[in-house]
Amino acid sequence: MANMSLKKNEMPTQAPDIRNHNFLEVALGYTEAQALDEAARCLNCKNMPCVAGCPVQIHIPAFIQKVAAGEFEEAYQIISEASSLPAVCGRVCPQESQCEEKCVRGVKGEPVGIGRLERFVADWHNEHSDPSCVKRPAPNGYRAAVIGSGPSGLTCAGDLAKKGYDVTVFEALHLSGGVLVYGIPEFRLPKAIVQKEVDTLKALGVKVETNMVIGKVLSVDELFEMGFESVFIGSGAGLPRFMNIPGENLKGVYSANEFLTRVNLMKAYRDGSATPIQDAKKVAVVGGGNVAMDAARCAKRLGAEEVTIVYRRSEEELPARKEEVEHAKEEGVLFRLLTNPVEILSGENGFVGGITCVEMTLGEPDESGRRRPVVKEGSEFTIDVDCVIMAIGTSPNPLIKSTTQGLETQRWGGIIADEETGLTSREGVYAGGDAVTGAATVILAMGAGKAAAKAMDEYMQSKAK
């Protein structure tokens, strides 16, 4: 029977005053009863507008109908036809601005909880299946290399492996997963979930080599010399940006990349960690995106008494997901909006002693369509902090560009690649994800990896004829 409730089933979560002291997952996931009830809200529209909003084109109504029938494994198989990382996407994909934004139920109420149902299905599958039982396709005799094991690289590798390609993923760090393991906190995306997804790809035949910095250990040209017939570059955008204001070299100033890598990948929150983080009491996080929210919420969990988001626009322009902003507020993170730092002040022994800011007003829209922040004259003031985390964006590392002949890039460092195929200026070399676009979402990176895998398949098959 159809569920015509205007509201989606609430996601169970840890209480804010408990979760802001631990790194356990905040969202607890739907129960089976909640999943069945939510699935019954889907109208199974014939024109499927939700699918048009999905960058990897999951057949959303079909999988939800299987959930409604209690056929959870069948639902998983439908999702996995299009997505190599369903448990990840169910947690971190911004469904509210993609598939759920197109949902017909959202016209007169809340859309169907597509992301929550995807997470439920993936978790149910992971709990009831063994990755080693995945059926490996027959090899087709061709080899492909994938640089980077983030969402674009893993998606590309998975799609090629399903077609029988011999795929090797080269990861610069000591663990596979890319931004999924170093950038997104445990409380949003447990690393065991990422490992489970990687294990499934390995069961398909994907090989993963860690501690392989392409551009240093091996070059793209050397990969071709080793017999790889096509290469995908999904190396992400891990080079942090700074504001170039006085005081950024003081002790206690972190890029969000460094801070989150220490916390997420190297477990700095554990007693006896080999990579301790300063025991800060008052932290300012500069920026308003998801990375800023992640850094602020991590700082709170590390014991900071006061954590403040400093952002130069208003709350309406915050680029972070609404859910992440709400969770940060619930956990006690403060927000100083229409505020911009101009100097980080020196305290004792070269550590941060405060941050000088100016108030901002919003002027005319800039090239992004958002109103441009303008300094309010004579508005300087100081915030008392002993740690500053810069979360104002990242760009691709120039290492691959500088060691690969004929690879054209944008002025800001992004690899130039065809929007539909990912083909670069080098024959047989494809690229996608943050290495091309700059920092973006997991699902958009997956979409790029999927498109590139299709083009690489066509390229290698055409060479064989």
Side-chain angles (χ1 to χ4, degrees):
M1 184 176 176
N3 175 2
M4 300 309 295
S5 171
L6 296 181
K7 293 184 66 66
K8 67 175 72 171
N9 281 264
E10 292 289 334
M11 172 64 84
T13 60
Q14 285 193 72
D17 58 345
I18 294 175
R19 71 185 191 230
N20 65 4
H21 296 292
N22 68 59
F23 278 82
L24 301 177
E25 191 168 14
V26 169
L28 303 178
Y30 276 171
T31 64
E32 185 172 317
Q34 288 175 312
L36 291 169
D37 191 57
E38 187 61 30
R41 296 185 66 233
C42 178
L43 300 178
N44 197 20
C45 305
K46 288 185 178 180
N47 61 345
M48 301 182 294
C50 53
V51 177
C54 176
V56 295
Q57 300 289 286
I58 293 171
H59 197 315
I60 294 168
F63 103 73
I64 292 180
Q65 292 309 304
K66 291 296 184 183
V67 175
E71 299 173 358
F72 306 137
E73 180 59 27
E74 290 80 356
Y76 176 83
Q77 294 304 325
I78 291 171
I79 296 172
S80 63
E81 287 174 4
S83 172
S84 296
L85 306 170
V88 170
C89 288
R91 287 168 164 82
V92 302
C93 180
Q95 294 93 0
E96 68 278 1
S97 60
Q98 293 176 156
C99 56
E100 292 184 13
E101 185 178 56
K102 306 286 187 181
C103 179
V104 172
R105 291 301 307 271
V107 175
K108 294 185 178 180
E110 293 183 347
V112 174
I114 298 169
R116 296 173 184 181
L117 289 173
E118 181 180 15
R119 169 186 165 153
F120 170 81
V121 168
D123 287 355
W124 190 95
H125 169 82
N126 286 339
E127 185 179 341
H128 294 84
S129 68
D130 181 354
S132 64
C133 296
V134 173
K135 186 177 180 180
R136 185 177 295 194
N140 65 13
Y142 301 102
R143 300 178 67 202
V146 172
I147 302 171
S149 67
S152 65
L154 292 179
T155 298
C156 182
D159 279 19
L160 288 173
K162 290 173 184 175
K163 294 180 180 293
Y165 286 93
D166 181 348
V167 184
T168 301
V169 176
F170 296 93
E171 168 54 47
L173 297 176
H174 62 284
L175 288 177
S176 53
V179 69
L180 303 175
V181 295
Y182 76 74
I184 302 177
E186 182 80 12
F187 55 80
R188 279 216 295 137
L189 179 61
K191 304 313 158 213
I193 295 291
V194 180
Q195 189 58 51
K196 189 86 171 181
E197 304 280 42
V198 172
D199 288 344
T200 298
L201 294 180
K202 287 181 176 179
L204 279 171
V206 174
K207 294 184 284 290
V208 179
E209 293 194 23
T210 56
N211 299 309
M212 293 294 290
V213 183
I214 301 302
K216 188 171 183 180
V217 180
L218 291 171
S219 68
V220 170
D221 296 305
E222 286 172 323
L223 291 176
F224 282 109
E225 292 171 8
M226 292 166 61
F228 291 104
E229 291 150 286
S230 189
V231 175
F232 175 74
I233 302 173
S235 50
L239 190 65
R241 295 176 184 166
F242 288 89
M243 295 183 67
N244 297 318
I245 60 176
E248 280 186 312
N249 290 325
L250 291 170
K251 299 174 186 176
V253 178
Y254 298 89
S255 70
N257 264 36
E258 177 190 356
F259 182 78
L260 291 172
T261 297
R262 285 175 179 263
V263 174
N264 301 329
L265 185 65
M266 306 175 79
K267 312 301 181 187
Y269 55 86
R270 292 178 179 170
D271 292 338
S273 169
T275 178
I277 286 181
Q278 171 198 3
D279 186 20
K281 299 302 179 188
K282 294 185 177 182
V283 178
V285 179
V286 182
N290 289 327
V291 172
M293 301 304 139
D294 287 343
R297 296 171 69 192
C298 283
K300 194 73 177 173
R301 284 161 169 77
L302 288 170
E305 296 169 359
E306 187 175 286
V307 179
T308 304
I309 292 283
V310 178
Y311 181 59
R312 61 183 185 156
R313 289 184 167 95
S314 70
E315 183 163 353
E316 185 178 341
E317 285 82 25
L318 278 171
R321 294 182 68 185
K322 182 180 178 182
E323 178 182 87
E324 302 308 321
V325 174
E326 291 173 351
H327 281 172
K329 288 180 177 180
E330 290 171 356
E331 292 165 11
V333 174
L334 307 176
F335 284 72
R336 285 276 192 136
L337 304 174
L338 291 170
T339 300
N340 205 40
V342 292
E343 182 179 3
I344 302 172
L345 305 175
S346 179
E348 295 181 5
N349 302 317
F351 279 90
V352 172
I355 184 168
T356 299
C357 301
V358 291
E359 294 179 15
M360 312 292 286
T361 58
L362 294 179
E364 295 300 313
D366 61 14
E367 60 276 3
S368 71
R370 296 179 297 174
R371 294 173 64 191
R372 186 186 302 276
V374 179
V375 176
K376 187 185 294 185
E377 294 297 328
S379 63
E380 283 195 3
F381 66 97
T382 299
I383 302 175
D384 180 22
V385 297
D386 56 359
C387 175
V388 177
I389 301 170
M390 290 292 181
I392 57 171
T394 56
S395 58
N397 190 303
L399 185 58
I400 290 178
K401 165 194 171 183
S402 64
T403 58
T404 306
Q405 293 185 353
L407 187 66
E408 295 181 1
T409 59
Q410 305 280 2
R411 288 179 59 189
W412 52 270
I415 297 171
I416 296 174
D418 183 84
E419 288 186 10
E420 294 185 2
T421 65
L423 179 62
T424 70
S425 54
R426 281 283 304 271
E427 181 183 349
V429 178
Y430 298 77
D434 293 0
V436 171
T437 62
T441 63
V442 167
I443 192 66
L444 288 177
M446 289 176 63
K450 192 173 188 67
K454 181 176 183 293
M456 291 166 72
D457 172 46
E458 293 171 353
Y459 168 73
M460 286 185 277
Q461 292 300 324
S462 68
K463 283 190 66 178
K465 294 179 180 178

